[in-house]
Amino acid sequence: MALPFLPGYSLNRNVGKEKFHKPQHWGFCNNVRMLMNEDKPGIGGELCLRQKRKPKYSAFLKEMGIDAPPWVAFDKQVLSFDAYLEDEVPEKSQENYRIRRYKIYFYLEDDTIQVNEPGVRNSGLPQGTFIRRHHIPLPPPDEDQFYTVYHFNINIDIVFYGWKFKIYDCDTFTKIVLKNMGVKLNAPGQCPEDPYLKMRREKLDFVKPLRPYESFGTLKQFLNYDRKVLRFFCLWDDSTSLFGDRRELILRYFLSDDTIEIREVLPHKSGWNAMPFLLQRGKLPKYGPPGVYQPGEITDRIVLNVYGGLVENRVDGYLLDKYKLGKVHQEFYKDSDLSIGTTINVWGRKVLLCDCDEFTKSYYKTEYGIENFTSIDCKPPPPPKIERKFPPYTGFGSEEDSLRSCIGLMPTPHRKNFRKWMEKDSYGYISNTLRFFAKLITHDCADVDRLFVISYFLSDDTLSVFEPIERNSGLTGGMFLKRIRVKRPGQEVFKSELSEYIKAEELYVGARVNVNGYLFLLLNADEYTLNYMEKHSDKFPMSSIELALQKLKKQESKSEELRNVFIAADDEQRKMVDYNTFRDILMTLTVGELTDHELITIARHYHVPEDAYEDVNVLIALAHERFKRNTFENFERLIANCVYQDRENKKVLPTKDIRRLCKSSRLPLTHDLLVSLLSKDVKMSGSGCHHLFL
């Protein structure tokens, strides 16, 4: 009966199978035919009936829930066990066995094992790698399986190829891994001592050489620590002695030969002789000065006797004193004796170690585990500051020049604030000068109506007073006070301190200023002064609109009354009043809370912009005057150029085109006047040009 070739319908079990080879049980070893393995799978590598494949590797990776392959999960992770082996020594009366120590390394990534024997000097045995790294099979009858991590523990015996190793301990990483795998670790044991080595050591302790030659090997120390120097910053306080002082030192300790040198750090113009060394390089004794010794008394070797032949002046050898009788023992400073805060004895001088450099800190961290390197301030305390008193002003010259003659033997000019002068000097249209209109406060009838212009120059804090000339007034007018700095009133003339002068912050509308005995009342200020003070309201609080409005808010209870008064003052109902009416109303209701300058600040903040047509008419009048003065009559050409430029017939041209056409026509107008005219939005086409220029 034929069945379709579908899955499940075919009775042939070899469908889809590709491997049909038979396993080979026999092989050759050293050219000898022998049975290699009996437990081979069936045809094609399939297991035979009732045959189970024995695991070759550890299964703890899946038990831990790790999906990564073992060579990734356990890369560079090795278990280390300490073990020993009792090696029999036949046919020798001195010893029956030896204890040989081993290191067993188990690689988690592939279950391979390596056994190493640490080298022992002069042992006479081949040491190093005892068993190379590979899979080690279990002892019979399980030789077809290999050792896994579950076969290892502490204080157990393990057999590798007939060698019985006793595992007595392991490292910390191995203990952690075994505990995480659920292995219950046994208590660690100890490795017994080799009886033969113990016997040899006891014999060597009793036997001493007849000729005690001593080796002074300093080459290793020199090669390891050459050019490695510890540096400490020290202080030698010699201020208690006559003409003594605090001296700053630098101590250098040479690790190559344990010598010390000390240099002195001399400050600039200290007056001390600049010596290269305070202590030359050499070993520093702890208890110095130790005294005076005879030549040859301090030596490394003590010679007991010399011997030779019969020939004169011939020495074949010498004998050393092994008991070192009469040797002078000296203790020298080592690197372990030096630390921050320690006081050392430098041939009778007490030197305090205050600080060290970074290399010294890293050295002590590595070698001695020291972490605290808190430095000590080696600078001397500052001397008490003596108040310098100057003699009073004599009256000759300025106070600054008189003071400079007291500071130095050679008087130097007083240094002015050049930076302030450069920043606040007048340039262009910026004058940096505050101008106020003022009058004299006096009871003299002839001087009551005199008006003055007070100018304050911000570049050097000077002040000048000018009186405008008025015809038929009976007064000369002109310069009332030249440009000088004005002192504040009430100061003593002949004193040691410099006088205080009037500052710009003291000037505001309504202020009273005493200028050399003349009392002035500031009535008003020009536009530049008011703008400057409002721009720098942090220095001029009277020009701050916020502070002025805060004072008005204190009169909130009178707000309704203030509103009614302003409505009554506005007869024409224009919703605005003039400044004098505004000032009188606020001064009456606030009862002197606001100054004149603050009233001006409020009025300027809420003022109604003036009509600009008057300014335009003035500028046009100035332009006509210049045309007449220069007899300029070429207007037809200028108008024609403007009409030609206005090709779209908009009757309006851009400002830059008008400026270019005016300059090309050589109009007798200055640049500033032309810019002012164009900024007033004057139409420069057709009848507009004719109105402007004719």
Side-chain angles (χ1 to χ4, degrees), residues 380-415:
K385 188 176 182 180
I386 301 175
E387 184 180 359
R388 191 173 185 179
K389 296 183 179 180
F390 298 100
Y393 175 56
T394 59
F396 295 97
S398 64
E399 294 182 358
E400 290 79 5
D401 292 339
S402 179
L403 181 62
R404 297 299 297 180
S405 63
C406 301
I407 293 177
L409 186 62
M410 298 294 293
T412 56
H414 172 66
R415 296 184 63 180

Side-chain angles (χ1 to χ4, degrees), residues 39 115 162 172 187 197 220 247 249 251 369 444 447 457 460 463 508 514 592 611 613 639 647:
D39 296 335
V115 181
T172 306
L197 294 179
K220 181 179 180 180
R247 315 287 285 274
L249 311 173
L251 183 145
D444 191 355
D447 298 334
F457 301 90
D460 54 359
L463 186 144
Y508 58 90
N514 192 330
D611 193 0
Y613 291 113
I639 295 173
R647 299 178 181 178

Side-chain angles (χ1 to χ4, degrees), residues 217-229:
T218 59
L219 179 61
K220 181 179 180 180
Q221 181 182 1
F222 173 78
L223 295 177
N224 292 337
Y225 297 105
D226 185 28
R227 298 186 181 182
K228 294 182 179 180
V229 183

